[in-house]
């Protein structure tokens, strides 16, 4: 009696040996499509712009029925489910999302068998009639006769997978094809990581630009010109580009009584007399009014920053206003008390 194959043997079943020349010829259209997709993924600012186009190009080049990208998501039972992110379908092929119980959530084919293999980073070849019954039923319900699953990693963490469905035949994927499509999965993972990092930078920039903290950098050589100024200097009515156009005139924005002290602080830092400086100064707004700011500056160290000073200006005008209002309120209370004592002879 023939001994049944193990789960891993069934899922990673290798196709019969094929001549090397024929193998390369079969993989060549996919290789060209992957090469073209690299440019698409690198140029796009967001995966939503590039990945759908890439899936169509790869799907047509690989001559498959469907290409789907799934992202891992928490399952109701505490395990891992697959969230359908992107899908391309050939003509007259029913979309995989059409069989989903909800618009986003999809069942991950037989997670007990697939997850351990996907986390290892190797492509998985599936033929519906060769796998065990639960998995076979899932494939047949999606109209899939054979498939190739390739894991996607983002920053070395298993993020999801890309699935190549063939609804027409039991395709025997060659090692060259699988390796080429693994390269595609790596590029998609890199594009997703880059988009996430850009989003984090945008979020951080938005926080900075909406904060009362203005960032600046000046050269540590006379006349100490501005090298950088954050856009949120607009809270004082100025445009960063206009101030950067005259990088040596920023001291003119400070109160005449404060500007000399600001220049002295810069020289003290450059000469090494102090490691950093923190002072409260008055900065002239574009409308001519003065606002109180807390100015902090320090010398940047290291081979790339030997001649630069970085600092921040913190808008503390509200703090001063509140302090003055509190003082006036206290003074008003004292005057009222004195008035009461004099009036009633207490």
């Amino acid at each position: 009696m023939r001994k049944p194959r193990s789960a891993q043997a069934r899922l990673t079943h290798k196709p019969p040996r094929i001549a090397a020349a024929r193998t390369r010829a079969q993989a060549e259209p996919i290789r060209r499509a992957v090469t073209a997709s690299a440019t698409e993924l690198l140029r796009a600012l967001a995966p939503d712009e590039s990945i759908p186009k890439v899936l169509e190009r790869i799907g047509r080049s690989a001559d498959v029925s469907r290409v789907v990208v799934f992202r891992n998501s928490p399952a109701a039972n505490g395990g891992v489910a697959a969230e359908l992110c992107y899908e391309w379908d050939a003509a007259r092929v029913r979309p995989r999302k059409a069989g989903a119980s909800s618009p986003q959530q999809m069942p991950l084919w037989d997670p007990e068998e697939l997850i351990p293999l996907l986390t290892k980073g190797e492509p998985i070849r599936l033929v519906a009639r060769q796998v065990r019954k639960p998995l076979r039923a899932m494939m047949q319900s999606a109209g899939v006769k054979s498939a190739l699953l390739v894991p996607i990693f983002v920053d070395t963490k298993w993020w999801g997978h890309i699935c190549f469905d063939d609804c027409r035949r039991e395709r025997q994927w060659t090692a060259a094809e699988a390796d080429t499509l693994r390269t595609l999965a790596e590029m998609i993972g890199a594009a997703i990581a880059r988009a996430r990092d850009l989003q984090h930078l945008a979020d951080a920039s938005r926080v900075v630009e909406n904060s009362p903290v203005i960032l600046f950098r000046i050269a540590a050589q006379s006349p100490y010109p501005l090298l950088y100024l954050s856009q949120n200097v607009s809270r004082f009515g100025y445009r960063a580009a206009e101030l950067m156009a005259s990088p040596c005139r920023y001291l003119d924005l400070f109160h005449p009584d404060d500007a000399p002290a600001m220049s002295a602080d810069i020289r003290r830092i450059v000469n090494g007399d102090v490691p950093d400086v923190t002072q409260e100064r008055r900065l002239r707004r574009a409308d001519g009014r003065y606002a109180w700011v807390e100015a902090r500056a320090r010398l940047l160290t290291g081979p790339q920053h030997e001649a630069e000073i970085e600092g921040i200006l913190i808008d503390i005008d509200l703090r001063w206003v509140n302090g003055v209002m509190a003082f006036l309120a206290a003074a008003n209370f004292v005057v009222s008390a004195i008035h009461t004592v004099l009036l009633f002879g207490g």
Side-chain angles (χ1 to χ4, degrees), residues 212 214 236 254 258 262 279-284 290-296 312-317 320:
I214 291 88
F236 296 115
F254 289 90
D258 294 341
M262 287 283 294
Q279 297 289 349
E280 293 182 353
R281 307 297 186 192
R282 287 160 290 183
L283 179 70
R284 186 177 71 251
Y290 282 94
W292 283 96
V293 297
E294 181 176 292
R296 302 180 185 179
I312 59 175
L313 298 176
I314 306 174
D315 186 354
I316 60 171
D317 204 37
W320 275 86

Side-chain angles (χ1 to χ4, degrees), residues 2 45 47 49 74 90 135 146 191 201 217 219 233 251 272 292 301 317:
R2 187 176 182 181
L45 296 177
E49 300 176 4
L135 179 54
S146 60
L201 288 174
R217 185 171 292 177
V233 73
L251 287 174
W292 283 96
T301 58
D317 204 37

Side-chain angles (χ1 to χ4, degrees), residues 10-11 66 93-94 96 106-110 113-114 124-149 163-171 173:
R10 292 195 306 269
L11 296 176
R66 186 189 296 125
V93 173
R94 181 170 63 93
R96 183 82 76 85
M106 297 286 293
L108 180 59
W109 285 350
D110 205 352
E113 288 204 70
L114 296 185
I124 300 174
R125 301 171 179 86
L126 299 172
V127 177
R129 66 179 178 82
Q130 295 178 346
V131 298
R132 65 190 184 91
K133 189 174 181 180
L135 179 54
R136 182 165 67 248
M138 293 179 187
M139 294 181 68
Q140 290 174 344
S141 67
V144 178
K145 292 185 177 181
S146 60
L148 176 70
L149 277 62
C163 184
F164 302 89
D165 293 341
D166 198 317
C167 301
R168 298 172 299 166
R169 64 190 187 279
E170 294 182 351
R171 179 165 182 164
W173 292 91

Side-chain angles (χ1 to χ4, degrees), residues 218 224 250-251 262-271 309:
I218 61 177
Y224 314 115
Y250 59 93
L251 287 174
M262 287 283 294
S263 297
D265 288 342
I266 293 174
R267 289 194 296 271
R268 290 167 61 205
I269 294 174
V270 172
N271 294 334
I309 296 173

Side-chain angles (χ1 to χ4, degrees), residues 187-231:
M187 294 191 314
I188 290 176
I192 292 171
R194 183 170 66 98
R196 183 201 57 194
D197 293 342
L198 288 174
Q199 185 59 51
H200 288 171
L201 288 174
D203 293 342
S205 177
R206 190 159 46 248
V207 170
V208 170
E209 300 304 342
N210 291 325
S211 75
V213 180
I214 291 88
L215 311 179
F216 68 86
R217 185 171 292 177
I218 61 177
Q221 297 175 345
S222 181
Y224 314 115
L226 272 175
L227 301 176
Y228 169 78
L229 185 63
S230 60
Q231 298 296 324

